[in-house]
Amino acid sequence: MQLTPDELVSEFHDAVMELYFARKRIARLEAENAELTARLAAAEAEA
C-alpha cells in the first residue's frame, strides 16, 4: 500500500503522539512503583 506524503506525515504525527502519551504513562507507573516500593520497605522495617 502506497501512502501519499500527507498520509505519511499524518501517520508519523500519530506515532509521535502515541509515543508521547506512552512516555507519560511510563513516568506515572515508575513513580507509582517507587512509592509502592518505599511503602513495602517501610512495612518490612516495621515488622
Side-chain angles (χ1 to χ4, degrees):
M1 171 173 116
Q2 291 282 353
L3 297 176
T4 67
D6 286 342
E7 290 171 330
L8 284 172
V9 169
S10 179
E11 289 290 322
F12 180 75
H13 180 262
D14 290 348
V16 168
M17 293 306 294
E18 286 181 29
L19 180 58
Y20 170 77
F21 288 113
R23 285 182 170 176
K24 287 185 78 147
R25 284 192 306 271
I26 289 167
R28 282 195 309 267
L29 289 171
E30 286 175 339
E32 181 182 358
N33 186 46
E35 178 188 348
L36 291 172
T37 300
R39 286 173 53 191
L40 179 60
E44 288 177 343
E46 288 179 6

mmCIF file of all heavy atoms in Angstrom:
data_model
loop_
_atom_site.group_PDB
_atom_site.id
_atom_site.type_symbol
_atom_site.label_atom_id
_atom_site.label_comp_id
_atom_site.label_asym_id
_atom_site.label_seq_id
_atom_site.Cartn_x
_atom_site.Cartn_y
_atom_site.Cartn_z
ATOM 1 N N MET A 1 0.840 -1.170 0.000
ATOM 2 C CA MET A 1 0.000 0.000 0.000
ATOM 3 C C MET A 1 0.894 1.246 0.000
ATOM 4 O O MET A 1 1.780 1.389 0.828
ATOM 5 C CB MET A 1 -0.887 -0.030 1.248
ATOM 6 C CG MET A 1 -1.653 1.218 1.493
ATOM 7 S SD MET A 1 -2.804 1.003 2.864
ATOM 8 C CE MET A 1 -2.140 2.155 4.024
ATOM 9 N N GLN A 2 0.668 2.118 -0.923
ATOM 10 C CA GLN A 2 1.428 3.358 -1.028
ATOM 11 C C GLN A 2 0.682 4.473 -0.316
ATOM 12 O O GLN A 2 -0.524 4.627 -0.471
ATOM 13 C CB GLN A 2 1.612 3.734 -2.508
ATOM 14 C CG GLN A 2 2.536 2.813 -3.271
ATOM 15 C CD GLN A 2 4.006 3.108 -2.963
ATOM 16 O OE1 GLN A 2 4.324 4.072 -2.297
ATOM 17 N NE2 GLN A 2 4.880 2.250 -3.439
ATOM 18 N N LEU A 3 1.418 5.242 0.470
ATOM 19 C CA LEU A 3 0.831 6.380 1.156
ATOM 20 C C LEU A 3 1.292 7.668 0.482
ATOM 21 O O LEU A 3 2.421 7.753 0.011
ATOM 22 C CB LEU A 3 1.256 6.410 2.623
ATOM 23 C CG LEU A 3 0.814 5.234 3.489
ATOM 24 C CD1 LEU A 3 1.398 5.364 4.895
ATOM 25 C CD2 LEU A 3 -0.694 5.156 3.572
ATOM 26 N N THR A 4 0.404 8.624 0.485
ATOM 27 C CA THR A 4 0.779 9.929 -0.056
ATOM 28 C C THR A 4 1.672 10.628 0.973
ATOM 29 O O THR A 4 1.701 10.241 2.152
ATOM 30 C CB THR A 4 -0.463 10.796 -0.315
ATOM 31 O OG1 THR A 4 -1.060 11.112 0.940
ATOM 32 C CG2 THR A 4 -1.462 10.098 -1.220
ATOM 33 N N PRO A 5 2.402 11.648 0.574
ATOM 34 C CA PRO A 5 3.220 12.382 1.549
ATOM 35 C C PRO A 5 2.402 12.908 2.726
ATOM 36 O O PRO A 5 2.853 12.830 3.875
ATOM 37 C CB PRO A 5 3.819 13.527 0.715
ATOM 38 C CG PRO A 5 3.902 12.959 -0.669
ATOM 39 C CD PRO A 5 2.673 12.095 -0.796
ATOM 40 N N ASP A 6 1.204 13.403 2.471
ATOM 41 C CA ASP A 6 0.360 13.893 3.559
ATOM 42 C C ASP A 6 -0.050 12.759 4.504
ATOM 43 O O ASP A 6 -0.105 12.939 5.722
ATOM 44 C CB ASP A 6 -0.892 14.580 3.023
ATOM 45 C CG ASP A 6 -0.602 15.949 2.428
ATOM 46 O OD1 ASP A 6 0.472 16.522 2.733
ATOM 47 O OD2 ASP A 6 -1.444 16.447 1.659
ATOM 48 N N GLU A 7 -0.332 11.596 3.949
ATOM 49 C CA GLU A 7 -0.682 10.445 4.788
ATOM 50 C C GLU A 7 0.518 9.997 5.617
ATOM 51 O O GLU A 7 0.362 9.617 6.783
ATOM 52 C CB GLU A 7 -1.190 9.294 3.924
ATOM 53 C CG GLU A 7 -2.547 9.554 3.303
ATOM 54 C CD GLU A 7 -2.943 8.509 2.284
ATOM 55 O OE1 GLU A 7 -2.057 7.913 1.620
ATOM 56 O OE2 GLU A 7 -4.160 8.281 2.148
ATOM 57 N N LEU A 8 1.705 10.033 5.023
ATOM 58 C CA LEU A 8 2.910 9.665 5.771
ATOM 59 C C LEU A 8 3.132 10.621 6.934
ATOM 60 O O LEU A 8 3.461 10.186 8.049
ATOM 61 C CB LEU A 8 4.135 9.679 4.853
ATOM 62 C CG LEU A 8 4.275 8.495 3.905
ATOM 63 C CD1 LEU A 8 5.412 8.750 2.920
ATOM 64 C CD2 LEU A 8 4.529 7.217 4.674
ATOM 65 N N VAL A 9 2.962 11.903 6.686
ATOM 66 C CA VAL A 9 3.117 12.900 7.749
ATOM 67 C C VAL A 9 2.087 12.651 8.844
ATOM 68 O O VAL A 9 2.407 12.705 10.040
ATOM 69 C CB VAL A 9 3.011 14.336 7.184
ATOM 70 C CG1 VAL A 9 2.900 15.358 8.307
ATOM 71 C CG2 VAL A 9 4.192 14.646 6.283
ATOM 72 N N SER A 10 0.872 12.364 8.465
ATOM 73 C CA SER A 10 -0.177 12.096 9.437
ATOM 74 C C SER A 10 0.145 10.850 10.262
ATOM 75 O O SER A 10 -0.016 10.848 11.489
ATOM 76 C CB SER A 10 -1.516 11.919 8.727
ATOM 77 O OG SER A 10 -2.527 11.633 9.648
ATOM 78 N N GLU A 11 0.597 9.790 9.606
ATOM 79 C CA GLU A 11 0.976 8.563 10.316
ATOM 80 C C GLU A 11 2.128 8.834 11.281
ATOM 81 O O GLU A 11 2.142 8.341 12.408
ATOM 82 C CB GLU A 11 1.376 7.468 9.323
ATOM 83 C CG GLU A 11 0.217 6.907 8.529
ATOM 84 C CD GLU A 11 -0.719 6.072 9.375
ATOM 85 O OE1 GLU A 11 -0.244 5.330 10.260
ATOM 86 O OE2 GLU A 11 -1.939 6.161 9.157
ATOM 87 N N PHE A 12 3.112 9.602 10.827
ATOM 88 C CA PHE A 12 4.244 9.933 11.676
ATOM 89 C C PHE A 12 3.780 10.743 12.884
ATOM 90 O O PHE A 12 4.190 10.474 14.019
ATOM 91 C CB PHE A 12 5.286 10.721 10.873
ATOM 92 C CG PHE A 12 6.490 11.108 11.683
ATOM 93 C CD1 PHE A 12 7.450 10.173 12.011
ATOM 94 C CD2 PHE A 12 6.659 12.412 12.122
ATOM 95 C CE1 PHE A 12 8.559 10.520 12.764
ATOM 96 C CE2 PHE A 12 7.760 12.770 12.873
ATOM 97 C CZ PHE A 12 8.712 11.830 13.198
ATOM 98 N N HIS A 13 2.926 11.714 12.662
ATOM 99 C CA HIS A 13 2.396 12.530 13.758
ATOM 100 C C HIS A 13 1.657 11.651 14.765
ATOM 101 O O HIS A 13 1.834 11.808 15.985
ATOM 102 C CB HIS A 13 1.470 13.611 13.200
ATOM 103 C CG HIS A 13 0.897 14.491 14.256
ATOM 104 N ND1 HIS A 13 -0.359 14.300 14.778
ATOM 105 C CD2 HIS A 13 1.421 15.554 14.900
ATOM 106 C CE1 HIS A 13 -0.578 15.210 15.707
ATOM 107 N NE2 HIS A 13 0.466 15.994 15.795
ATOM 108 N N ASP A 14 0.841 10.743 14.273
ATOM 109 C CA ASP A 14 0.113 9.833 15.168
ATOM 110 C C ASP A 14 1.084 8.996 16.000
ATOM 111 O O ASP A 14 0.875 8.800 17.202
ATOM 112 C CB ASP A 14 -0.807 8.911 14.374
ATOM 113 C CG ASP A 14 -2.000 9.636 13.758
ATOM 114 O OD1 ASP A 14 -2.250 10.812 14.127
ATOM 115 O OD2 ASP A 14 -2.670 9.035 12.894
ATOM 116 N N ALA A 15 2.137 8.503 15.368
ATOM 117 C CA ALA A 15 3.123 7.688 16.081
ATOM 118 C C ALA A 15 3.842 8.510 17.145
ATOM 119 O O ALA A 15 4.080 8.030 18.261
ATOM 120 C CB ALA A 15 4.133 7.097 15.100
ATOM 121 N N VAL A 16 4.181 9.747 16.818
ATOM 122 C CA VAL A 16 4.841 10.618 17.789
ATOM 123 C C VAL A 16 3.924 10.887 18.976
ATOM 124 O O VAL A 16 4.355 10.856 20.138
ATOM 125 C CB VAL A 16 5.296 11.934 17.123
ATOM 126 C CG1 VAL A 16 5.726 12.962 18.157
ATOM 127 C CG2 VAL A 16 6.429 11.661 16.137
ATOM 128 N N MET A 17 2.652 11.137 18.709
ATOM 129 C CA MET A 17 1.708 11.394 19.800
ATOM 130 C C MET A 17 1.533 10.150 20.672
ATOM 131 O O MET A 17 1.475 10.254 21.907
ATOM 132 C CB MET A 17 0.360 11.851 19.251
ATOM 133 C CG MET A 17 0.399 13.211 18.582
ATOM 134 S SD MET A 17 1.078 14.521 19.618
ATOM 135 C CE MET A 17 -0.150 14.616 20.895
ATOM 136 N N GLU A 18 1.463 8.969 20.072
ATOM 137 C CA GLU A 18 1.359 7.736 20.847
ATOM 138 C C GLU A 18 2.583 7.562 21.739
ATOM 139 O O GLU A 18 2.472 7.166 22.900
ATOM 140 C CB GLU A 18 1.206 6.536 19.920
ATOM 141 C CG GLU A 18 -0.168 6.417 19.294
ATOM 142 C CD GLU A 18 -0.285 5.194 18.394
ATOM 143 O OE1 GLU A 18 0.419 4.194 18.646
ATOM 144 O OE2 GLU A 18 -1.082 5.249 17.452
ATOM 145 N N LEU A 19 3.756 7.849 21.195
ATOM 146 C CA LEU A 19 4.987 7.742 21.975
ATOM 147 C C LEU A 19 4.979 8.739 23.133
ATOM 148 O O LEU A 19 5.366 8.403 24.256
ATOM 149 C CB LEU A 19 6.198 7.982 21.074
ATOM 150 C CG LEU A 19 7.567 7.910 21.739
ATOM 151 C CD1 LEU A 19 7.794 6.553 22.394
ATOM 152 C CD2 LEU A 19 8.649 8.198 20.722
ATOM 153 N N TYR A 20 4.532 9.951 22.870
ATOM 154 C CA TYR A 20 4.458 10.980 23.913
ATOM 155 C C TYR A 20 3.585 10.500 25.074
ATOM 156 O O TYR A 20 3.983 10.579 26.243
ATOM 157 C CB TYR A 20 3.898 12.269 23.313
ATOM 158 C CG TYR A 20 3.563 13.327 24.335
ATOM 159 C CD1 TYR A 20 4.558 14.096 24.921
ATOM 160 C CD2 TYR A 20 2.248 13.548 24.709
ATOM 161 C CE1 TYR A 20 4.250 15.072 25.865
ATOM 162 C CE2 TYR A 20 1.927 14.520 25.648
ATOM 163 C CZ TYR A 20 2.934 15.279 26.221
ATOM 164 O OH TYR A 20 2.619 16.225 27.151
ATOM 165 N N PHE A 21 2.389 10.009 24.765
ATOM 166 C CA PHE A 21 1.487 9.564 25.827
ATOM 167 C C PHE A 21 1.987 8.288 26.501
ATOM 168 O O PHE A 21 1.787 8.101 27.704
ATOM 169 C CB PHE A 21 0.060 9.414 25.301
ATOM 170 C CG PHE A 21 -0.593 10.737 25.022
ATOM 171 C CD1 PHE A 21 -0.915 11.111 23.731
ATOM 172 C CD2 PHE A 21 -0.861 11.622 26.050
ATOM 173 C CE1 PHE A 21 -1.502 12.350 23.474
ATOM 174 C CE2 PHE A 21 -1.448 12.858 25.806
ATOM 175 C CZ PHE A 21 -1.762 13.227 24.517
ATOM 176 N N ALA A 22 2.639 7.417 25.747
ATOM 177 C CA ALA A 22 3.211 6.210 26.355
ATOM 178 C C ALA A 22 4.297 6.586 27.354
ATOM 179 O O ALA A 22 4.375 6.014 28.449
ATOM 180 C CB ALA A 22 3.772 5.289 25.274
ATOM 181 N N ARG A 23 5.119 7.567 27.010
ATOM 182 C CA ARG A 23 6.162 8.004 27.939
ATOM 183 C C ARG A 23 5.563 8.623 29.191
ATOM 184 O O ARG A 23 6.100 8.437 30.293
ATOM 185 C CB ARG A 23 7.096 8.998 27.257
ATOM 186 C CG ARG A 23 8.036 8.338 26.284
ATOM 187 C CD ARG A 23 8.972 9.342 25.662
ATOM 188 N NE ARG A 23 10.018 8.657 24.909
ATOM 189 C CZ ARG A 23 10.935 9.285 24.201
ATOM 190 N NH1 ARG A 23 10.929 10.606 24.135
ATOM 191 N NH2 ARG A 23 11.853 8.607 23.552
ATOM 192 N N LYS A 24 4.465 9.352 29.047
ATOM 193 C CA LYS A 24 3.799 9.918 30.223
ATOM 194 C C LYS A 24 3.258 8.804 31.114
ATOM 195 O O LYS A 24 3.376 8.867 32.343
ATOM 196 C CB LYS A 24 2.661 10.850 29.796
ATOM 197 C CG LYS A 24 3.153 12.176 29.230
ATOM 198 C CD LYS A 24 2.016 13.106 28.935
ATOM 199 C CE LYS A 24 1.556 13.702 30.223
ATOM 200 N NZ LYS A 24 1.063 15.055 30.152
ATOM 201 N N ARG A 25 2.669 7.766 30.501
ATOM 202 C CA ARG A 25 2.163 6.632 31.286
ATOM 203 C C ARG A 25 3.316 5.920 31.991
ATOM 204 O O ARG A 25 3.191 5.532 33.157
ATOM 205 C CB ARG A 25 1.409 5.643 30.394
ATOM 206 C CG ARG A 25 0.028 6.101 30.005
ATOM 207 C CD ARG A 25 -0.798 5.005 29.364
ATOM 208 N NE ARG A 25 -0.167 4.365 28.231
ATOM 209 C CZ ARG A 25 -0.269 4.776 26.973
ATOM 210 N NH1 ARG A 25 -0.990 5.832 26.679
ATOM 211 N NH2 ARG A 25 0.340 4.126 26.001
ATOM 212 N N ILE A 26 4.422 5.743 31.293
ATOM 213 C CA ILE A 26 5.578 5.085 31.889
ATOM 214 C C ILE A 26 6.086 5.878 33.080
ATOM 215 O O ILE A 26 6.394 5.298 34.134
ATOM 216 C CB ILE A 26 6.697 4.877 30.836
ATOM 217 C CG1 ILE A 26 6.274 3.802 29.836
ATOM 218 C CG2 ILE A 26 8.018 4.512 31.496
ATOM 219 C CD1 ILE A 26 7.154 3.729 28.596
ATOM 220 N N ALA A 27 6.160 7.190 32.948
ATOM 221 C CA ALA A 27 6.626 8.027 34.058
ATOM 222 C C ALA A 27 5.697 7.894 35.263
ATOM 223 O O ALA A 27 6.167 7.793 36.408
ATOM 224 C CB ALA A 27 6.733 9.480 33.609
ATOM 225 N N ARG A 28 4.379 7.893 35.013
ATOM 226 C CA ARG A 28 3.432 7.727 36.124
ATOM 227 C C ARG A 28 3.595 6.361 36.781
ATOM 228 O O ARG A 28 3.563 6.241 38.008
ATOM 229 C CB ARG A 28 1.996 7.902 35.631
ATOM 230 C CG ARG A 28 1.593 9.345 35.440
ATOM 231 C CD ARG A 28 0.072 9.499 35.301
ATOM 232 N NE ARG A 28 -0.513 8.607 34.308
ATOM 233 C CZ ARG A 28 -0.722 8.935 33.037
ATOM 234 N NH1 ARG A 28 -0.394 10.123 32.587
ATOM 235 N NH2 ARG A 28 -1.264 8.075 32.208
ATOM 236 N N LEU A 29 3.761 5.315 35.975
ATOM 237 C CA LEU A 29 3.917 3.974 36.524
ATOM 238 C C LEU A 29 5.224 3.837 37.303
ATOM 239 O O LEU A 29 5.268 3.163 38.341
ATOM 240 C CB LEU A 29 3.853 2.934 35.400
ATOM 241 C CG LEU A 29 2.472 2.741 34.780
ATOM 242 C CD1 LEU A 29 2.573 1.862 33.545
ATOM 243 C CD2 LEU A 29 1.502 2.146 35.786
ATOM 244 N N GLU A 30 6.286 4.470 36.821
ATOM 245 C CA GLU A 30 7.560 4.423 37.547
ATOM 246 C C GLU A 30 7.427 5.129 38.893
ATOM 247 O O GLU A 30 7.962 4.652 39.900
ATOM 248 C CB GLU A 30 8.676 5.047 36.715
ATOM 249 C CG GLU A 30 9.121 4.159 35.571
ATOM 250 C CD GLU A 30 10.155 4.817 34.672
ATOM 251 O OE1 GLU A 30 10.254 6.068 34.661
ATOM 252 O OE2 GLU A 30 10.867 4.079 33.975
ATOM 253 N N ALA A 31 6.724 6.260 38.924
ATOM 254 C CA ALA A 31 6.513 6.977 40.184
ATOM 255 C C ALA A 31 5.678 6.133 41.140
ATOM 256 O O ALA A 31 5.981 6.048 42.342
ATOM 257 C CB ALA A 31 5.852 8.319 39.920
ATOM 258 N N GLU A 32 4.638 5.504 40.616
ATOM 259 C CA GLU A 32 3.799 4.644 41.451
ATOM 260 C C GLU A 32 4.608 3.466 41.977
ATOM 261 O O GLU A 32 4.494 3.095 43.151
ATOM 262 C CB GLU A 32 2.592 4.149 40.653
ATOM 263 C CG GLU A 32 1.659 3.277 41.452
ATOM 264 C CD GLU A 32 0.482 2.752 40.643
ATOM 265 O OE1 GLU A 32 0.352 3.094 39.446
ATOM 266 O OE2 GLU A 32 -0.308 1.993 41.208
ATOM 267 N N ASN A 33 5.439 2.892 41.133
ATOM 268 C CA ASN A 33 6.270 1.763 41.541
ATOM 269 C C ASN A 33 7.238 2.179 42.648
ATOM 270 O O ASN A 33 7.427 1.445 43.626
ATOM 271 C CB ASN A 33 7.035 1.216 40.336
ATOM 272 C CG ASN A 33 7.793 -0.043 40.676
ATOM 273 O OD1 ASN A 33 7.266 -0.947 41.310
ATOM 274 N ND2 ASN A 33 9.052 -0.102 40.255
ATOM 275 N N ALA A 34 7.845 3.357 42.510
ATOM 276 C CA ALA A 34 8.767 3.839 43.537
ATOM 277 C C ALA A 34 8.040 4.051 44.863
ATOM 278 O O ALA A 34 8.561 3.694 45.930
ATOM 279 C CB ALA A 34 9.433 5.132 43.075
ATOM 280 N N GLU A 35 6.829 4.606 44.808
ATOM 281 C CA GLU A 35 6.052 4.813 46.020
ATOM 282 C C GLU A 35 5.706 3.486 46.688
ATOM 283 O O GLU A 35 5.853 3.322 47.907
ATOM 284 C CB GLU A 35 4.769 5.574 45.705
ATOM 285 C CG GLU A 35 3.888 5.796 46.923
ATOM 286 C CD GLU A 35 2.529 6.380 46.578
ATOM 287 O OE1 GLU A 35 2.337 6.832 45.439
ATOM 288 O OE2 GLU A 35 1.664 6.367 47.471
ATOM 289 N N LEU A 36 5.260 2.523 45.894
ATOM 290 C CA LEU A 36 4.900 1.215 46.458
ATOM 291 C C LEU A 36 6.121 0.499 47.017
ATOM 292 O O LEU A 36 6.033 -0.161 48.060
ATOM 293 C CB LEU A 36 4.214 0.359 45.389
ATOM 294 C CG LEU A 36 2.823 0.841 44.973
ATOM 295 C CD1 LEU A 36 2.330 0.043 43.770
ATOM 296 C CD2 LEU A 36 1.844 0.750 46.126
ATOM 297 N N THR A 37 7.247 0.632 46.351
ATOM 298 C CA THR A 37 8.485 0.023 46.844
ATOM 299 C C THR A 37 8.872 0.635 48.181
ATOM 300 O O THR A 37 9.269 -0.081 49.115
ATOM 301 C CB THR A 37 9.612 0.202 45.813
ATOM 302 O OG1 THR A 37 9.221 -0.431 44.590
ATOM 303 C CG2 THR A 37 10.908 -0.417 46.290
ATOM 304 N N ALA A 38 8.746 1.960 48.300
ATOM 305 C CA ALA A 38 9.069 2.625 49.560
ATOM 306 C C ALA A 38 8.106 2.191 50.656
ATOM 307 O O ALA A 38 8.527 1.954 51.805
ATOM 308 C CB ALA A 38 9.030 4.135 49.372
ATOM 309 N N ARG A 39 6.828 2.089 50.329
ATOM 310 C CA ARG A 39 5.849 1.648 51.332
ATOM 311 C C ARG A 39 6.122 0.218 51.782
ATOM 312 O O ARG A 39 6.017 -0.102 52.967
ATOM 313 C CB ARG A 39 4.430 1.767 50.769
ATOM 314 C CG ARG A 39 3.956 3.213 50.691
ATOM 315 C CD ARG A 39 2.636 3.373 49.983
ATOM 316 N NE ARG A 39 1.581 2.529 50.529
ATOM 317 C CZ ARG A 39 0.414 2.335 49.948
ATOM 318 N NH1 ARG A 39 0.133 2.932 48.802
ATOM 319 N NH2 ARG A 39 -0.492 1.563 50.493
ATOM 320 N N LEU A 40 6.496 -0.637 50.845
ATOM 321 C CA LEU A 40 6.809 -2.018 51.186
ATOM 322 C C LEU A 40 8.045 -2.081 52.076
ATOM 323 O O LEU A 40 8.058 -2.813 53.079
ATOM 324 C CB LEU A 40 7.030 -2.832 49.911
ATOM 325 C CG LEU A 40 7.403 -4.308 50.104
ATOM 326 C CD1 LEU A 40 6.306 -5.041 50.855
ATOM 327 C CD2 LEU A 40 7.661 -4.965 48.751
ATOM 328 N N ALA A 41 9.055 -1.299 51.750
ATOM 329 C CA ALA A 41 10.269 -1.282 52.566
ATOM 330 C C ALA A 41 9.953 -0.787 53.963
ATOM 331 O O ALA A 41 10.468 -1.333 54.971
ATOM 332 C CB ALA A 41 11.328 -0.416 51.911
ATOM 333 N N ALA A 42 9.104 0.232 54.090
ATOM 334 C CA ALA A 42 8.722 0.749 55.414
ATOM 335 C C ALA A 42 7.939 -0.292 56.196
ATOM 336 O O ALA A 42 8.161 -0.470 57.414
ATOM 337 C CB ALA A 42 7.914 2.024 55.255
ATOM 338 N N ALA A 43 7.043 -0.987 55.523
ATOM 339 C CA ALA A 43 6.248 -2.019 56.191
ATOM 340 C C ALA A 43 7.143 -3.167 56.657
ATOM 341 O O ALA A 43 6.944 -3.703 57.754
ATOM 342 C CB ALA A 43 5.153 -2.531 55.269
ATOM 343 N N GLU A 44 8.130 -3.529 55.842
ATOM 344 C CA GLU A 44 9.042 -4.608 56.230
ATOM 345 C C GLU A 44 9.943 -4.175 57.390
ATOM 346 O O GLU A 44 10.293 -4.993 58.243
ATOM 347 C CB GLU A 44 9.881 -5.046 55.036
ATOM 348 C CG GLU A 44 9.092 -5.817 53.991
ATOM 349 C CD GLU A 44 9.914 -6.180 52.767
ATOM 350 O OE1 GLU A 44 10.997 -5.578 52.550
ATOM 351 O OE2 GLU A 44 9.456 -7.030 52.002
ATOM 352 N N ALA A 45 10.292 -2.889 57.419
ATOM 353 C CA ALA A 45 11.134 -2.395 58.506
ATOM 354 C C ALA A 45 10.378 -2.408 59.841
ATOM 355 O O ALA A 45 10.978 -2.627 60.901
ATOM 356 C CB ALA A 45 11.607 -0.979 58.186
ATOM 357 N N GLU A 46 9.062 -2.162 59.780
ATOM 358 C CA GLU A 46 8.244 -2.192 60.992
ATOM 359 C C GLU A 46 8.093 -3.613 61.525
ATOM 360 O O GLU A 46 7.979 -3.813 62.735
ATOM 361 C CB GLU A 46 6.862 -1.615 60.732
ATOM 362 C CG GLU A 46 6.830 -0.113 60.545
ATOM 363 C CD GLU A 46 5.417 0.398 60.268
ATOM 364 O OE1 GLU A 46 4.458 -0.406 60.346
ATOM 365 O OE2 GLU A 46 5.299 1.587 59.973
ATOM 366 N N ALA A 47 8.082 -4.573 60.629
ATOM 367 C CA ALA A 47 7.827 -5.963 61.022
ATOM 368 C C ALA A 47 9.051 -6.653 61.584
ATOM 369 O O ALA A 47 10.062 -6.224 61.856
ATOM 370 C CB ALA A 47 7.342 -6.764 59.837
#
